[in-house]
Amino acid sequence: MTPFLTACQAVAAGVVAARLSRGRTRPAPLAPGASGPPPEPVSVVIPARDEETRIEGCLRPLLADPDVSEVIVVDDESRDGTARVAADLGAKVVSGAPLPDGWVGKQWALHQGVSAASGAIVVLLDADTRPRPGLCAELAALLGTSARLVSAAPRFVCGGVAEQALHASFLASLVYRFGPVGPAASPDRLLVNGQCLAFRKDLLVATGVFERVRGNLTDDVALGRLLARDGWTVVFRDARALLDVDMHESARDVWREWGRSISLRDVTTGGALAADLAVVWLTLALPWLRLAAGRPTPLDLGLLVQRLLLLAALRGSYARPGTGLALSPLLDPLTAVRLTWSALRPARTWRGRGYARPAVRRGAPPRRPARSAAR
């Protein structure tokens, strides 16, 4: 091993260790019943495109939740029975207008759904989420403090060993790049989970944020980072006791669907993306490759021990942690390959729609002018 590569790996290991150390001071996970009922009406908005088979699991608990005033499903030109299922269950269905040029579908659906919401507080949920009683009350309580945008990390439901193994390896790569759920070091390194966001409607509408991120395929991170640059306090909390997400149907689905955006290319500058790739290759992939070749260094072995210790922290992120989670470190080199592929050849299709290259932005969304940001 060359001295240069040794030095690079040591630097990357130090960066990862500093990020992981933030887990010792992160806030406790949200718990049901910790706060009282929301002080103002809560509207839940769910963008849905071809979600006939999954949306019922999201809607039933919300419609039975006394903390939720209304549930709005934006039917984003679905080609199945999504709208019918939502209406039969009792949700308010908004028929999405045709997608304008330059917009990505989810942002357009959210723009319409938030406009239709009557509650002072709006919670955005994806159709594959499985909320439990108390989620909306806890999100609203955080908005009552200093937070202006709240996001929540769920527990993941994985259907098989291979799916969980690949998913957990992808998740570990995010932790190595950005640290655990909690405060970000800077707006440019902020993460949120677009499957669950909450805010006050009047404040968000004033920012025009959906139009400002209309061309970003990585819509959630683009929105969170843009608002953080505007001066918003963005809170990202662990909500494993209140929210499950069943995102994928197989390991192949994880590879294709999550892998398309895992590099966050359209919200990350070239230098930051190169640094992320270096961290993942040097600290996650290289130790396993050297071990397989029978030539691990002491630093490689230390990094492998660190990776195995991370398994304990990730257990709470899965509804049924098992063999897949235990095997996930073995897939770290494959994750590095997928991350690199995502960075070099980003996908431009989603939910049956294709997006032209000029419509998909790269790098940071522009900051709002100072006068408007202060509103």
Side-chain angles (χ1 to χ4, degrees):
M1 184 168 65
T2 67
F4 178 73
L5 187 57
T6 301
C8 289
Q9 188 181 40
V11 170
V15 169
V16 170
R19 290 171 180 167
L20 295 178
S21 69
R22 299 205 303 265
R24 295 177 298 181
T25 58
R26 67 175 181 168
L30 299 181
S35 306
E40 297 176 278
V42 174
S43 296
V44 177
V45 174
I46 304 165
R49 179 173 170 84
D50 299 337
E51 297 285 5
E52 178 182 7
T53 60
R54 297 199 290 185
I55 198 166
E56 182 175 352
C58 178
L59 290 179
R60 284 197 180 277
L62 291 171
L63 293 167
D65 190 339
D67 295 326
V68 175
S69 300
E70 68 175 349
V71 180
I72 298 173
V73 173
V74 183
D75 179 36
D76 184 18
E77 298 186 305
S78 295
R79 297 155 294 184
D80 61 8
T82 297
R84 173 184 52 78
V85 171
D88 288 348
L89 289 170
K92 176 182 176 181
V93 177
V94 173
S95 296
L99 184 66
D101 291 341
W103 284 75
V104 171
K106 185 175 181 181
Q107 285 91 300
W108 178 236
L110 291 174
H111 172 72
Q112 296 173 85
V114 171
S115 297
S118 61
I121 296 171
V122 177
V123 175
L124 307 181
L125 292 174
D126 280 1
D128 55 11
T129 60
R130 302 294 177 261
R132 289 192 284 281
L135 173 66
C136 292
E138 297 308 315
L139 297 175
L142 288 173
L143 289 171
T145 58
S146 60
R148 299 184 80 180
L149 178 70
V150 176
S151 183
R155 291 191 314 176
F156 298 101
V157 177
C158 295
V161 172
E163 179 186 339
Q164 187 176 86
L166 186 60
H167 190 284
S169 181
F170 278 16
L171 184 60
S173 75
L174 284 178
V175 175
Y176 271 46
R177 290 161 61 195
F178 299 101
V181 172
S186 71
D188 290 336
R189 302 301 292 174
L190 180 144
L191 284 186
V192 296
N193 173 28
Q195 297 162 326
C196 181
L197 295 170
F199 46 83
R200 292 190 58 86
K201 176 181 174 177
D202 57 345
L203 296 178
L204 192 89
V205 169
T207 69
V209 70
F210 293 122
E211 183 176 3
R212 295 163 68 194
V213 300
R214 63 186 181 275
N216 285 97
L217 282 173
T218 316
D219 56 279
D220 50 356
V221 179
L223 181 148
R225 291 182 180 180
L226 186 150
L227 292 176
R229 294 187 191 100
D230 281 356
W232 279 44
T233 300
V234 179
V235 172
F236 190 22
R237 293 287 296 274
D238 185 339
R240 67 183 70 171
L242 295 167
L243 183 66
D244 284 353
V245 171
D246 188 357
M247 297 170 59
H248 306 110
E249 297 180 356
S250 64
R252 180 181 180 182
D253 204 24
V254 174
W255 179 267
R256 181 180 63 249
E257 302 299 348
W258 195 7
R260 74 180 178 90
S261 62
I262 196 168
S263 68
L264 308 181
R265 172 173 166 166
D266 67 327
V267 292
T268 306
T269 62
L273 186 54
D276 284 346
L277 289 171
V279 162
V280 169
W281 275 104
L282 291 170
T283 63
L284 279 177
L286 186 59
W288 286 110
L289 296 176
R290 285 221 183 94
L291 182 66
R295 294 185 298 174
T297 67
L299 180 54
D300 289 327
L301 296 176
L303 287 168
L304 292 174
V305 170
Q306 176 180 265
R307 176 66 176 91
L308 295 176
L309 291 174
L310 182 63
L311 293 177
L314 293 182
R315 283 187 61 84
S317 298
Y318 291 91
R320 294 182 295 275
T323 304
L325 177 62
L327 295 176
S328 64
L330 300 177
L331 299 185
D332 289 348
L334 195 61
T335 291
V337 170
R338 187 63 179 103
L339 176 65
T340 305
W341 181 6
S342 174
L344 297 177
R345 300 191 63 181
R348 301 183 186 279
T349 60
W350 183 239
R351 294 288 183 183
R353 288 182 172 130
Y355 298 98
R357 183 176 295 270
V360 181
R361 299 173 180 169
R362 181 174 179 181
R367 184 191 296 269
R368 192 172 179 83
R371 184 178 65 179
S372 299
R375 298 195 323 185

